[in-house]
Amino acid sequence: MNLTRPHLSAFFMALLVVFSSPALTLAQEPAPDRAPTTQALARPTGYVPESVPLTQTYSPVALGTIGVLFPTSAVITVFGGKLFAAPVPAMGAPTPGSLDYRVASNFHGDLESGAPFLGGIPDYGGYALSALPVLYYGLGATWTGLTGQNLYPWQGPSHLHSTMAYLESFTWTALLTNAAKFFVGRARPYVALERRAYGWHGGEDYLSFFSGHASLSFAAATFLARDISDGLYHRVLADAEPTERFLLGRALPYTLLYGAATTVAVSRLYDQKHFLSDVVVGAAVGTLISALVYNTRFDGRGIPRTRRGLALDVAPSPSPEPAEEQAQSAVDDRAGVAADQRLDLAIP
């Protein structure tokens, strides 16, 4: 049996579903009922909770919605071209001389053989990159469950929250991408420019706008880079020098992950599968959705938020002093004021 692109893409999506299933199962566990302790009421500023119940971040409705829509979006992403009829073209090809047209005309491989960019690795890598976060969190959660220790020192204890948040990001990105593809029906460059060596089959000839490889790759890169960066910057490198903290905690994860996503996006242009505008819009959609989901579910240090939008490590405010004590303190602590003047301030 020869492994084709649909086979490998289905394999990557199956991995994504398999590794996410423990998260979907554990998500149904009720939150433990714990009474607040004296230590919990006096948490230091940099406190990171050891365990946060998932139900304090996600409501049962949100968990159920993700549980249903996530596998649906994965199936549509892989098999949508076979499940649905080819869309009626509703968006024309770029006008000759436009930027889209010039990039597609000049940036391509061998027009006779249709040899893919870098041997086709980025083509399959788009699916692998979208499955990478779930594999990453799944391995971390499994290791923690078996050993009681963190596999990634920068990750902290919120593997389950990160998994669910990424599934949420993937779901909305995939659904929006596929809805645009089947409603817009834009011809791919190999159709518009008559370069059939790059073609797949008729079911995908008019699914150019916008790029699913770009949207899902940038969604995965944005979420994983943000999560790893927050862990490195605020945990592992909290006491490091500012330059080292920035380079290792911010620049490194973003450069590696966005570099991989950009390579995938460039391959879509080179392989005549998408126009430049398809790739740019896809990258923007994936980035924005992941950033929105992450900021909604986590605070600035990567700590899960409650459903009210408050970070879970915020200690309650101390009880205010009685009004009489506040007034007395405001009067008696006024430096440089004579005693008789202080009396005048207290008793008009």
Side-chain angles (χ1 to χ4, degrees):
M1 176 181 176
N2 294 325
L3 290 179
T4 63
R5 176 183 174 279
H7 290 132
L8 289 176
S9 59
F11 171 72
F12 286 128
M13 287 301 165
L15 278 180
L16 198 152
V17 173
V18 167
F19 277 96
S20 65
S21 58
L24 296 174
T25 302
L26 291 172
Q28 308 305 321
E29 294 184 357
D33 220 1
R34 297 177 181 175
T37 62
T38 304
Q39 294 180 347
L41 297 178
R43 295 168 176 171
T45 304
Y47 173 80
V48 177
E50 294 182 359
S51 178
V52 178
L54 190 68
T55 49
Q56 291 189 23
T57 301
Y58 283 89
S59 68
V61 174
L63 292 174
T65 301
I66 296 171
V68 172
L69 293 183
F70 163 67
T72 302
S73 66
V75 169
I76 294 176
T77 298
V78 177
F79 302 107
K82 296 181 179 180
L83 295 175
F84 304 102
V88 176
M91 183 177 183
T95 304
S98 65
L99 180 60
D100 263 351
Y101 193 91
R102 284 186 282 121
V103 171
S105 298
N106 300 319
F107 186 64
H108 55 74
D110 186 357
L111 299 180
E112 296 296 326
S113 65
F117 184 68
L118 296 180
I121 294 176
D123 184 17
Y124 302 120
Y127 292 100
L129 185 56
S130 65
L132 177 62
V134 175
L135 177 63
Y136 167 83
Y137 295 126
L139 290 176
T142 302
W143 180 265
T144 301
L146 293 175
T147 66
Q149 299 177 346
N150 284 337
L151 179 60
Y152 319 112
W154 56 82
Q155 181 60 45
S158 303
H159 296 283
L160 189 55
H161 294 77
S162 297
T163 304
M164 293 303 302
Y166 176 68
L167 297 185
E168 184 180 9
S169 174
F170 177 96
T171 297
W172 299 124
T173 302
L175 289 178
L176 183 57
T177 300
N178 286 286
K181 283 178 174 291
F182 286 98
F183 278 105
V184 171
R186 187 185 199 184
R188 294 185 184 272
Y190 66 76
V191 175
L193 278 65
E194 299 182 353
R195 292 169 175 172
R196 302 301 301 180
Y198 284 100
W200 295 325
H201 54 79
E204 295 189 0
D205 285 350
Y206 293 92
L207 299 179
S208 187
F209 186 84
F210 46 85
S211 171
H213 274 69
S215 64
L216 293 175
S217 295
F218 273 85
T222 299
F223 190 94
L224 202 55
R226 177 70 184 277
D227 198 22
I228 294 176
S229 175
D230 282 349
L232 288 172
Y233 193 83
H234 294 292
R235 295 188 183 96
V236 178
L237 302 171
D239 299 324
E241 294 293 329
T243 302
E244 178 186 3
R245 194 181 184 195
F246 171 78
L247 291 177
L248 298 180
R250 296 299 192 196
L252 181 62
Y254 278 97
T255 299
L256 292 177
L257 288 162
Y258 274 116
T262 301
T263 303
V264 172
V266 169
S267 76
R268 310 309 288 164
L269 303 175
Y270 186 88
D271 295 344
Q272 299 286 284
K273 299 302 190 292
H274 291 285
F275 293 103
L276 179 62
S277 58
D278 304 331
V279 169
V280 171
V281 172
V285 168
T287 300
L288 290 174
I289 290 179
S290 271
L292 178 61
V293 171
Y294 189 89
N295 289 336
T296 301
R297 301 303 181 184
F298 298 92
D299 68 6
R301 291 172 295 162
I303 300 174
R305 299 181 186 272
T306 65
R307 277 182 267 164
R308 297 176 182 177
L310 299 176
L312 293 177
D313 64 331
V314 176
S317 301
S319 302
E321 297 178 352
E324 296 83 1
E325 294 183 12
Q326 291 182 4
Q328 185 65 30
S329 176
V331 173
D332 292 344
D333 293 342
R334 193 178 298 270
V337 180
D340 57 344
Q341 293 176 329
R342 290 201 298 268
L343 184 61
D344 292 338
L345 290 172
I347 304 175

